[in-house]
Amino acid sequence: MAENPSPAPAGEHFAEVVVDVAAVRANAAALRERVAPAALMAVVKADAYGHGLLPCARAALEGGATWLGVAQPAEALALRAAGIEAPLLTWLYPPGGDLEPLVRARVDVSVSSQWALEEVVAAARAAGATARVHLKADTGLCRGGASRQEWPDLVRASAKHAAEGAVHVVGVWSHLASSDVPADAANAEQVAAFEEALGVAAAHGVEPEVRHLANSAATLTNPASHYDLVRCGLALYGLTPVPDLAAPADLGLVPAMTLSAFLALVKRVPAGSRVSYGGTYTTRTDTTLGLVPLGYADGVPRSASGSGPVLVAGRRRNVAGRVCMDQFVVDLGSGPDAVAAAAGDRAVLFGPGAAAGRPQEPTAQDWAEAAGTISYEIVSRLGARVPRRWTGERA
Ligand SMILES: *Cc1c(COP(=O)(O)O)cnc(C)c1O
């Protein structure tokens, strides 16, 4: 990207998210190569962490992912409706939902409990088909999954329904609690608990096609957790799940998303001006302020008030004062250090940064640190009114 990128076409956009799906494709290829012979599931829940469900699912499959994963059934059905036929797992639904369309669409369904198994079996009977299920064991996260006490009964009941043709147990799986802290003893304990769950399944004649445990952090730091399939979300989008240990470039990843906005106003103010709600930032000298037309309604965290980084005309500045609903202010400076910018100029909140040879450019990780959160939240919470654009798509 040029140091001083082009301004907005008049009246068109106030901001834009650009997602480079070539980066998603390359990240998928890098992850797949890292884990082979294990396979890669591209986790594309929550609109591919804000990056766009369909373009990212397609790019991940082109890059070598052979599975897709989503939290919610509606996300799975959206993929099927778009003609994507790859093996696809969905794992989060309360009782009383309609699972029959999932069975008909050959969507794999996670089963953590007896009620879920019964609902899947009923859906399979209604569809006149065999439901594809992945039995989920709770190995220590204490979130989804059957508890150690419930597991033998769930496996036994699943084996019975499998023998009758109602279900096919495609997978046995679990999820890690502390994979972003590779040295945490909980990781090895969960692998051991997963082994135990697999042993119980085998004792009941349940031999799944795929055993899977690892998310992005475990994929990158813990080969003992890879089994037959790894489930990567964050790393697929080029962000690091272990920011204290490695940057994206260290992991062979490139962030795919760039968020920028076009300055809605640039004006001179005197020294001593108090900026934005509550006047929490006071200008020290006569200076120039730039108004960025993005706010917390667009996903810019209010907790990054006074700290979030922005690149304007090749120079890095921080949010001055509070982030508002639709906008925030940056102090462009004065004297020799001033940023030469005009209304309409582009302000980059985050992009691939150093991983793309642009060390000045802030990253989603920088925003996470400024806001006291994780990069997952920065990219997945961008608001619906920010237009998305995709580049790097194959014809
Ligand atoms: C979101 C999610 C993943 C992907 O996690 P990342 O850390 O983004 O790789 C994997 N498995 C489950 C169950 C998830 O909910």
Side-chain angles (χ1 to χ4, degrees):
M1 196 186 279
E3 278 293 84
N4 201 350
S6 56
E12 266 219 344
H13 295 328
F14 64 97
E16 64 176 4
V17 171
V18 179
V19 175
D20 179 10
V21 301
V24 175
R25 194 183 299 122
N27 293 333
L31 292 164
R32 160 67 208 190
E33 189 181 45
R34 180 185 279 266
V35 302
L40 171 65
M41 174 188 287
V43 177
V44 291
K45 64 191 181 188
D47 199 29
Y49 294 36
H51 293 66
L53 176 69
L54 297 176
C56 290
R58 292 195 182 103
L61 293 170
E62 288 164 0
T66 50
W67 281 79
L68 296 171
V70 290
Q72 298 177 352
E75 300 174 303
L77 292 174
L79 287 161
R80 285 289 186 257
I84 292 176
E85 289 300 323
L88 167 58
L89 174 65
T90 181
W91 53 75
L92 192 59
Y93 53 93
D98 183 7
L99 303 179
E100 190 183 330
L102 297 172
V103 176
R104 288 188 185 282
R106 297 165 317 286
V107 174
D108 295 21
V109 178
S110 175
V111 167
S112 287
S113 65
Q114 291 288 344
W115 68 255
L117 181 64
E118 295 309 323
E119 290 199 359
V120 172
V121 166
R125 296 219 169 97
T130 301
R132 296 168 51 94
V133 301
H134 295 228
L135 301 180
K136 186 172 190 187
D138 180 0
T139 55
L141 176 59
C142 283
R143 200 177 70 176
S147 70
R148 197 157 175 261
Q149 290 69 36
E150 298 162 332
W151 182 248
D153 283 345
L154 182 63
V155 166
R156 199 174 299 115
S158 300
K160 177 177 90 67
H161 289 301
E164 292 163 3
V167 302
H168 172 48
V169 181
V170 178
V172 168
W173 73 302
S174 188
H175 194 41
L176 295 167
S178 300
S179 57
D180 57 332
V181 186
D184 194 319
N187 292 299
E189 287 165 19
Q190 283 199 258
V191 170
F194 190 54
E195 289 290 334
E196 188 185 317
L198 289 168
V200 170
H204 289 87
V206 173
E207 301 276 5
E209 290 166 27
V210 287
R211 304 158 297 161
H212 50 109
L213 179 61
N215 58 1
S216 290
T219 296
L220 294 165
T221 66
N222 184 1
S225 70
H226 289 179
Y227 291 95
D228 306 306
L229 178 64
V230 299
R231 305 185 306 271
C232 290
L234 195 77
L236 185 67
Y237 308 108
L239 299 170
T240 175
V242 286
D244 296 340
L245 303 177
D250 304 327
L251 302 168
L253 305 172
V254 180
M257 182 187 284
T258 300
L259 172 64
S260 61
F262 304 100
L263 295 178
L265 193 67
V266 171
K267 67 181 174 195
R268 294 286 299 169
V269 298
S273 300
R274 296 175 61 207
V275 176
S276 193
Y277 290 131
T280 58
Y281 177 85
T282 305
T283 59
R284 262 178 260 135
T285 60
D286 292 1
T287 190
T288 302
L289 301 179
L291 185 62
V292 179
L294 281 172
Y296 58 76
D298 305 301
V300 177
R302 189 171 180 275
S303 52
S305 292
S307 61
V310 181
L311 192 71
V312 185
R315 310 288 287 276
R316 199 156 163 156
R317 290 289 181 271
N318 295 92
V319 176
R322 290 208 182 125
V323 173
C324 311
M325 185 181 289
D326 316 299
Q327 50 195 301
F328 65 86
V329 175
V330 288
D331 187 343
L332 297 172
S334 59
D337 209 33
V339 177
D345 282 357
R346 190 186 288 267
V348 179
L349 282 78
F350 60 81
R358 299 199 287 267
Q360 289 294 323
E361 185 177 79
T363 62
Q365 180 60 33
D366 292 329
W367 274 88
E369 285 163 24
T373 184
I374 53 178
S375 61
Y376 294 79
E377 190 174 3
I378 298 297
V379 292
S380 68
R381 279 183 63 173
L382 294 179
R385 71 180 172 179
V386 186
R388 262 66 162 185
R389 187 157 64 79
W390 291 271
T391 63
E393 283 172 303
R394 284 199 182 142

